[in-house]
Amino acid sequence: MGKSKVLIIGGTGYMGKRLVKASLAQGHETYVMQRPDTEIGVDIDKVETLISFKKQGAHLVPASFEDYKSLVEAVKLVDIVICAVSGVHIRSHSILLQLKLVEAIKEAGNVKRYIPSEFGMDAEKMKNAMEPGKVTFDDKMVVRKAIEEAGIPFTYVSANCIAAYWLGGLCQFGKILPPRDHVIIHGDGNLKGIYVNEDDIATYTIKTIDDPRTLNKTIYICPPENILSQREVVQKWEKLIGKELHKITLSKDDFLASKKALDFGQQVGLSHYHDILYEGFLTSLKIGDEDEASKLYPEVKYTTVEEYLEQYV
């Protein structure tokens, strides 16, 4: 049995381009949805990315969420559909666009598996998330419900804390570059997060698509060496730069007080930081080996937190 043909939607985005690379690297015939020029506009970066995919051997498929028929025709070309539209409010939030895609997959009738745009914390386990951040998980659950009601085979990929958003700023809200003088510690800094390199997320995701063990399940990416508290992350950075940072503790009340000055997208992000760093939503996450990617695919050498931070030294 040959490897599945894969269609990636949102392939020029932050996660999408990594999924395209991983799909090609693992030997899948890979298709990437190309939106019409009326939608791409003069975004030269997206055009260059699409051209680079074609040079690497991917097929570009003209389609649009605004043209339902084109979605159906694109889906008919492949066995697996992976969607990577943005779910990050500070960039763009397009999760519910997938409802059109679910309808197209249902009509086409040929798709063996759909992997929707998830890749963060498991929406099912975030029912008590803080508002307005809860909207991210509520929208993902709407899409899940549509997938399951349509009878579409699926895999949900939960990668917890995407490294660039969390590790780059040493888990400080609103920071994506590590400091060299002082660091804000959220709460006592001892609640654990789970941090995953974006390229590793893509590699594990593509690993799941032909694996019967992952069908109709949520697969969690929880690399054991990357389950760390904020203070442990800071310590790894201090070791790399050979310097101890001045620590400033930020209480929960003071953290939440800053919310009033933020726009909606930033408030969503603040809510996620609150849930992980102040409430410890990931500290009680219990995952069996049969549902955890690094156990399912031990041949993948995942990037440790220390290795990820080395790029900033």
Side-chain angles (χ1 to χ4, degrees):
M1 180 178 172
K3 292 194 172 186
S4 293
K5 296 179 181 179
V6 180
L7 170 65
I8 297 172
I9 294 172
T12 60
Y14 187 70
M15 275 306 305
K17 61 188 177 186
R18 290 170 167 82
L19 289 161
V20 174
K21 179 182 176 182
S23 180
L24 290 168
Q26 293 181 41
H28 292 276
E29 189 170 348
T30 303
Y31 296 73
V32 182
M33 188 175 94
Q34 177 179 336
R35 293 183 295 155
D37 57 4
T38 53
E39 295 180 19
I40 293 179
V42 292
D43 193 334
I44 192 65
D45 289 335
K46 289 189 184 299
V47 173
E48 288 181 342
T49 300
L50 289 166
I51 292 170
S52 75
F53 292 158
K54 187 164 65 171
K55 288 180 178 178
Q56 294 170 57
H59 307 283
L60 303 184
V61 183
S64 169
F65 281 105
E66 301 305 314
D67 181 353
Y68 178 74
K69 183 179 178 182
S70 73
L71 283 180
V72 175
E73 292 305 311
V75 165
K76 285 181 178 179
L77 295 171
V78 299
D79 309 300
I80 308 292
V81 177
I82 304 175
C83 189
V85 296
S86 175
V88 181
H89 281 78
I90 57 171
R91 297 162 69 94
S92 64
H93 184 72
S94 309
I95 293 297
L96 293 180
L97 275 179
Q98 292 178 100
L99 296 176
K100 295 180 181 179
L101 184 57
V102 169
E103 285 300 312
I105 292 170
K106 181 180 178 181
E107 180 174 330
N110 61 293
V111 171
K112 297 177 182 177
R113 196 176 311 198
Y114 176 45
I115 299 180
S117 184
E118 296 251 350
F119 310 118
M121 293 165 278
D122 180 13
E124 176 68 32
K125 297 185 183 301
M126 298 298 289
K127 292 177 180 177
N128 295 318
M130 178 181 167
E131 298 286 1
K134 188 172 180 288
V135 66
T136 301
F137 310 112
D138 290 345
D139 285 355
K140 289 179 179 180
M141 290 304 295
V142 169
V143 174
R144 288 190 185 190
K145 184 173 185 287
I147 292 168
E148 292 169 29
E149 288 182 348
I152 296 168
F154 63 86
T155 299
Y156 304 138
V157 177
S158 171
N160 298 294
C161 301
I162 294 176
Y165 287 106
W166 291 81
L167 293 181
L170 304 186
C171 307
Q172 299 175 101
F173 174 66
K175 308 288 186 182
I176 59 172
L177 289 173
R180 292 179 178 267
D181 297 306
H182 66 272
V183 60
I184 302 296
I185 299 294
H186 293 281
D188 64 12
N190 292 322
L191 295 176
K192 304 279 188 178
I194 305 170
Y195 308 102
V196 188
N197 178 310
E198 297 82 353
D199 293 324
D200 294 343
I201 296 171
T203 296
Y204 284 125
T205 298
I206 300 301
K207 284 278 186 182
T208 70
I209 63 179
D210 284 331
D211 188 345
R213 299 175 297 174
T214 64
L215 184 61
N216 295 334
K217 293 174 68 175
T218 299
I219 297 301
Y220 299 86
I221 308 177
C222 304
E225 290 185 57
N226 291 1
I227 302 174
L228 301 170
S229 69
Q230 184 186 11
R231 287 190 181 274
E232 289 171 327
V233 170
V234 170
Q235 286 168 6
K236 289 187 178 296
W237 175 244
E238 290 174 330
K239 181 180 177 181
L240 284 170
I241 64 172
K243 178 183 179 181
E244 184 174 349
L245 302 182
H246 174 61
K247 319 280 190 312
I248 302 170
T249 301
L250 184 64
S251 71
K252 177 178 173 179
D253 287 345
D254 287 341
F255 180 67
L256 293 179
S258 67
K259 178 179 172 182
K260 298 174 184 177
L262 304 177
D263 63 29
F264 180 78
Q266 292 170 321
Q267 289 184 23
V268 168
L270 180 143
S271 301
H272 298 332
Y273 274 70
H274 163 268
D275 293 339
I276 303 305
L277 299 178
Y278 289 96
E279 298 299 330
F281 275 37
L282 296 182
T283 59
S284 58
L285 191 62
K286 299 290 187 288
I287 306 299
D289 288 356
E290 70 278 7
D291 297 326
E292 201 283 304
S294 70
K295 302 293 193 304
L296 288 170
Y297 310 110
E299 70 276 12
V300 176
K301 185 185 181 301
Y302 65 81
T303 307
T304 66
V305 168
E306 187 167 357
E307 288 168 340
Y308 191 87
L309 289 173
E310 284 174 355
Q311 66 185 315
Y312 299 107
V313 175

